Amino acid sequence: MLAFDQADATDAAHTGGKGAHLAELSRVDGVRVPDGFCVTTDAYRRVVAAAIEPHLDLLAAADPADRAAIAELSAAVRRAVEDVTIPGDLAAEIAAALARLGEHTPCAVRSSATAEDLPTASFAGQQDSYLNVTGPPRRSCGTYGAAGPPCSPSAR
């Protein structure tokens, strides 16, 4: 976990582009950025990598013209991520970070690719965002907080 005040633009490989930019903006006088934190790429890999690895080889080998096969394989990746159980220690870290923000504080749950918002490429709209999420995190990656949005299987 990295709180916005612990990260900056140089941490994009650990926080994703959105996280790094929000952390950087939070330091600018006169710019109001709500408190927040980033679940790091290390945590994401620890939880998700084993679940999606078998699917990635199949997806990489798929015929790019076979859109139905790609859609089916992509759906399998999403299901694999949604079926992941978040380890207790990581769930506790997320719960503690949320508690620091305030028990009933609505949060935005955003996924962020480490290579997004590059000078030569944009991946806008490819990750999921959930707004006004409240409540404690759940151990299943298939739900998050009281509002229950799924974790996003994007490359954070």
Side-chain angles (χ1 to χ4, degrees):
M1 292 297 175
L2 284 177
F4 288 167
D5 63 358
Q6 297 172 313
D8 60 34
T10 64
D11 290 308
H14 302 288
T15 63
K18 284 185 193 84
H21 288 124
L22 285 169
E24 198 67 30
L25 279 173
S26 71
R27 291 177 170 70
V28 176
D29 286 336
V31 176
R32 293 181 43 184
V33 175
D35 288 340
F37 62 93
C38 301
V39 177
T40 64
T41 55
D42 291 336
Y44 180 79
R45 284 186 195 103
R46 178 179 153 211
V47 173
V48 176
I52 66 171
E53 196 169 313
H55 302 284
L56 296 181
D57 290 336
L58 295 172
L59 194 54
D63 177 359
D66 190 349
R67 298 180 84 58
I70 291 172
E72 185 178 320
L73 290 166
S74 297
V77 171
R78 178 174 285 277
R79 284 189 304 275
V81 171
E82 290 173 349
D83 289 344
V84 166
T85 298
I86 298 171
D89 61 324
L90 182 56
E93 282 186 63
I94 294 170
L98 286 169
R100 285 190 292 277
L101 298 178
E103 183 178 342
H104 299 291
T105 300
C107 296
V109 179
R110 308 280 313 259
S111 57
S112 180
T114 56
E116 74 180 354
D117 302 329
L118 297 175
T120 59
S122 175
F123 302 95
Q126 292 185 359
Q127 283 79 35
D128 293 339
S129 296
Y130 299 94
L131 306 177
N132 297 313
V133 175
T134 59
R138 297 185 184 154
R139 293 280 306 279
S140 166
C141 206
T143 58
Y144 190 91
C151 290
S152 172
S154 59
R156 286 182 261 220

